[in-house]
Amino acid sequence: MSATPTHLRRTVVRGAIASVGVVAMLGLAACTSPAGGSAGEETDAAASLESVNLIAPADPGGGWDQTARAMSQVLTDEDLVGSAPVENIGGAGGTVGLASLANEKDPATLMVTGLVMVGAVETNASDVRIEDMTPIAKLTEEALVLVVPASSPYETTEDLVDAIVEEGAAISVTGGSAGGADHILAGMLLTEAGVDPADIPSTLNYIPNSGGGEAVTMLLGNTVQAGISGVGEFVEQIEAGELRALAVSSPEPVELLPDTPTLIDEGYDVTLTNWRGLLAPAGVSDADIEALTTLVTEMHDSEGWTATLEEKGWADAFLTGEDFQSFLDGSIAEVTQTLQTIGLVAS
């Protein structure tokens, strides 16, 4: 039986958003709310959406950072806004950035979120939760890839998994934040290999990091034996022959790595794809939500974003409004259950 969370196999239904007029756009302040105000307060000051602030809740180099910077480029190249600066607020699987968003007073702010943050909220017992923020859109899905350094003795997924089962903590695996998609996939592989979920925390020597760049450094320096991350974060080193891809986590091979087998091909009934989306601060007005949703929809429909998806190997998984809210609720419930099943959080 597959250990895959059911929401990760869901067919994406593209959300349709009606265009809003200039009046809705005027509800969104282009700068920070007046001192003493809150994100949920209405203000008489009307300003067009000339800029939007983007938060990548991780260090540079990882998938969230790549997403935020790709958005910034498309939004400005397509003249959808005059500026879209990116701020990196890394730490604790994105929950440091989440806490920052909770205190944000400027409604013209979007933070990248995703499956990693859903897991990190649980494993870090975060006081601030995704449910406290304002969901705007789901953007993409991406397969994960299991890699080893080019000089590694592990030629197949089975070689690596068997080594972890036999040698335990002597084999280190790096990836994103604790409890995130990479960590979950490692736990799912060991569960599929027959390891008791209660033994996974002591068997799996997982070394988390807050950005894909750090994982690459550790792998190329041979300080870890394996790594897991989004395909887009490792593809350059794989193509250069510096890393060896053992398998991808999607049901089918991915375009960027057409010769890399899936975990199913390798004999492990496991699939997992990492989704990414956008949150706005808590308590923003309905007009602000509509204006932000319209902006993101225009970005999604642009030629620049279509080209970005192809370049990065990201699957289009666009959802907004109630469709995204429903997906998010399901993701939170299912990831929490999966983390409990593989022993990464207490039941």
Side-chain angles (χ1 to χ4, degrees), residues 18-309:
S19 297
V20 298
V22 174
V23 173
M25 297 297 287
L26 295 179
L28 190 64
C31 58
T32 304
S33 301
S38 68
E41 290 181 351
E42 297 292 340
T43 174
D44 292 331
S48 62
L49 184 58
E50 296 178 354
S51 67
V52 63
N53 303 313
L54 302 175
I55 297 174
D59 293 340
W64 285 338
D65 180 65
Q66 290 182 18
T67 301
R69 293 185 188 282
M71 284 183 60
S72 177
Q73 182 170 347
V74 173
L75 286 167
T76 53
D77 286 353
E78 298 284 339
D79 294 324
L80 298 176
V81 293
S83 64
V86 176
E87 180 182 9
N88 291 89
I89 307 176
T95 57
V96 174
L98 187 64
S100 177
L101 188 68
N103 295 318
E104 180 59 58
K105 299 299 187 292
D106 186 352
T109 302
L110 291 169
M111 186 184 75
V112 183
T113 187
L115 181 64
V116 171
M117 188 178 292
V118 173
V121 166
E122 302 304 325
T123 56
N124 289 294
S126 175
D127 291 333
V128 180
R129 299 185 60 85
I130 294 173
E131 299 95 313
D132 301 329
M133 302 302 110
T134 303
I136 297 299
K138 180 186 177 190
L139 293 176
T140 62
E141 287 184 345
E142 182 182 21
L144 306 178
V145 60
L146 176 64
V147 302
V148 294
S151 60
S152 171
Y154 308 121
E155 298 286 345
T156 67
T157 301
E158 184 177 14
D159 290 343
L160 176 63
V161 173
D162 285 352
I164 295 173
V165 172
E166 293 171 7
E167 301 180 46
I171 308 298
S172 54
V173 181
T174 191
S177 301
D182 309 335
H183 198 177
I184 289 172
L185 182 62
M188 291 168 69
L189 277 171
L190 294 187
T191 301
E192 180 72 7
V195 177
D196 188 315
D199 293 333
I200 288 178
S202 60
T203 303
L204 176 62
N205 181 10
Y206 184 81
I207 301 177
N209 60 74
S210 58
E214 184 178 344
V216 168
T217 299
M218 296 173 73
L219 284 159
L220 296 184
N222 288 291
T223 58
V224 295
Q225 282 69 52
I228 301 173
S229 193
V231 169
E233 296 176 47
F234 285 159
V235 66
E236 182 179 341
Q237 289 75 29
I238 294 170
E239 292 178 342
E242 297 171 328
L243 297 177
R244 181 189 308 138
L246 300 183
V248 292
S249 65
S250 50
E252 302 292 337
V254 299
E255 289 187 14
L256 289 180
L257 299 173
D259 297 326
T260 302
T262 67
L263 289 170
I264 293 175
D265 293 334
E266 293 287 276
Y268 298 87
D269 189 14
V270 172
T271 61
L272 182 68
T273 52
N274 184 19
W275 66 267
R276 298 190 183 104
L278 298 169
L279 300 174
V284 297
S285 70
D286 289 345
D288 293 340
I289 294 171
E290 196 168 16
L292 285 168
T293 302
T294 297
L295 177 67
V296 173
T297 302
E298 290 175 345
M299 181 199 74
H300 167 264
D301 293 343
S302 70
E303 292 182 2
W305 187 248
T306 299
T308 295
L309 294 178

